Amino acid sequence: MSQDILINWAPQETRVAVVEQGAVQEVHLERTLERGLVGNIYLGKVSRVLPGMQSAFIDIGLDRAAFLHVADLMPNIAAKHASPREKGQAEAGGKVLEGDPVQPIERQIFEGQALMVQVLKDPIGTKGARLTAQISIAGRLLVFLPQDNHIGVSQKIPSAQREALRQRVMGLAAPADGSATGGFILRTNAEDASDDELREDIAYLRKTWQRIKEAATRQPPATLLHEDLNLMQRVLRDLVSAQTHSIRIDSREQCGLLQAFATEFMPDTLPKLQLYTGERPIFDLFNIDEDIARALSRRVDLKSGGYLVIDQTEALTTVDVNTGGFVGARNFDDTVFRTNLEASQAIARQLRLRNLGGIVIVDFIDMVREDHREAVLTEFRKQLARDRVKTMTGGFSQLGLVEMTRKRTRESLAHMLSEPCGACGGKGVVKTARSVCYDILREILREARAFNPREFRVVASAQVVELFLDEESQHLAGLSDFIGKPISLQAEGSMTQEQYDIVLL
């Protein structure tokens, strides 16, 4: 399916949209003052080891300490990927084997230790960054694993070609003396690469690793050793494929820089790069700003008249499918089936567009026929297969729900563009004015028992004061008579409906 990539650049923010058949499929943002950390390599310092959680907090120079789990330490990663022969040798030496309990983290690292780590996931919400001790450096055609000798091939390359490609990389990467020099994973876009192109990428990646190692010997702990490419450069490395028709950018200066980068590292992408010089803003070509605004809403309308309700929480994301105004033309089962089919396509697109990750629970409309359920599940998996991010999908549960996961590495679009409401604190609801009135009456009674002021003054929002002057005036007067003190009212325009203050005069 042909796709176009649009890049909107400004000094403060870079925005990238991936468009297929006129519909926005993905949106990526990078702000100058809030660059993502995924892929960055740090010389960290172990600040705390937690044996009970088999984890450690690592200081990498951020506001919050980053998190490292025992499974992401190199001895455990090496045991996981070891060959049967290596596992036998490890057993003879008394080392940890795959399937055995992993070596406790307190026996592998200690507080104050300097440790080279790489960011797997950006800080999300209240959680710090997730780290791994296995370093990987992405190039144009290959991913270099300097601490591992494994040679792998992308799963997206047909299985019939994988072994031949793996042997090619092994031959090109092996030094003359046969010493171990790290492993490689062949990326999808390297399927048709020549030997010379692969050799150049191998040399570039090894040179980059050598520079990182030298920096680690000179720099103090909590120092950045290697920073991943910026968003525009990552577009050429990660998003461009054979289906990409054009890459349009609206900045002449940045287009020149990107062309120079492409010429040196990714020449195949150079013919697709275009400078956009139209009068309309580049994102207006496909109404991308409107799609971004709709992606911040809970409700997503379907063309048939049905709709989705998407709720993102700390633990998981829920998607509820409803028929809405779609009444169908034949029978109820057919109406439900068609709505669910359309919803499966829309859900997959919304997951990509909103960059939703973690656990996702989809509540399709209940279907009686088993063939309808299978057809919807097949369509859903087919749409998810288009996602460049790894997904896993289960079948229908006993409650009729579909559980799935989508790998999460960066904040969702909603978390990047919005923040909790100052009025409701992120709850999505506020107390009614009447509820606040009754809270105030109880608080005045509580204060009257503890203090003996001359007068009580209620400072509250205009809605609350208006209710006290109208429908609740009798209750306010009754309380004033009961405590034997006058109660005055003052409206404050800057207060939200839930806010109030009781002043003792």
Side-chain angles (χ1 to χ4, degrees), residues 365-406:
I365 306 169
D366 291 339
M367 292 172 284
V368 177
R369 293 173 50 176
E370 186 63 30
D371 59 330
H372 282 178
R373 292 159 65 96
E374 287 300 321
V376 168
L377 196 58
T378 300
E379 178 65 21
F380 189 40
R381 287 173 172 162
K382 176 185 173 183
Q383 295 297 325
L384 290 174
R386 298 170 53 192
D387 201 331
R388 68 184 77 252
V389 177
K390 182 180 179 181
T391 61
M392 293 178 61
T393 311
F396 281 93
S397 70
Q398 291 183 345
L399 299 177
L401 306 174
V402 174
E403 301 174 3
M404 62 162 290
T405 61
R406 186 173 186 269

Side-chain angles (χ1 to χ4, degrees), residues 50-56 67-71 102-106 108:
L50 305 173
M53 295 178 61
Q54 282 301 291
S55 305
F67 180 83
L68 175 69
H69 189 263
V70 65
V102 297
Q103 192 79 0
I105 194 168
E106 61 269 24
Q108 299 187 57

Side-chain angles (χ1 to χ4, degrees), residues 269-342:
T269 65
L270 196 57
K272 301 177 180 181
L273 272 170
Q274 302 173 10
L275 174 64
Y276 175 74
T277 57
E279 294 183 1
R280 298 171 61 197
I282 189 170
F283 269 27
D284 284 1
L285 295 180
F286 296 97
N287 298 319
I288 294 171
D289 284 320
E290 294 179 11
D291 274 326
I292 293 175
R294 283 195 290 266
L296 300 179
S297 172
R298 293 178 65 232
R299 176 167 169 149
V300 178
D301 291 319
L302 304 177
K303 292 181 180 179
S304 64
Y307 64 94
L308 312 176
V309 176
I310 302 175
D311 285 307
Q312 184 180 358
T313 68
E314 184 77 16
L316 50 83
T317 298
T318 61
V319 183
D320 185 32
V321 183
N322 300 277
T323 55
F326 182 44
V327 296
R330 298 170 64 182
N331 55 57
F332 179 73
D333 288 347
D334 186 63
T335 300
V336 169
F337 176 56
R338 290 179 180 276
T339 304
N340 282 337
L341 274 181
E342 185 183 5

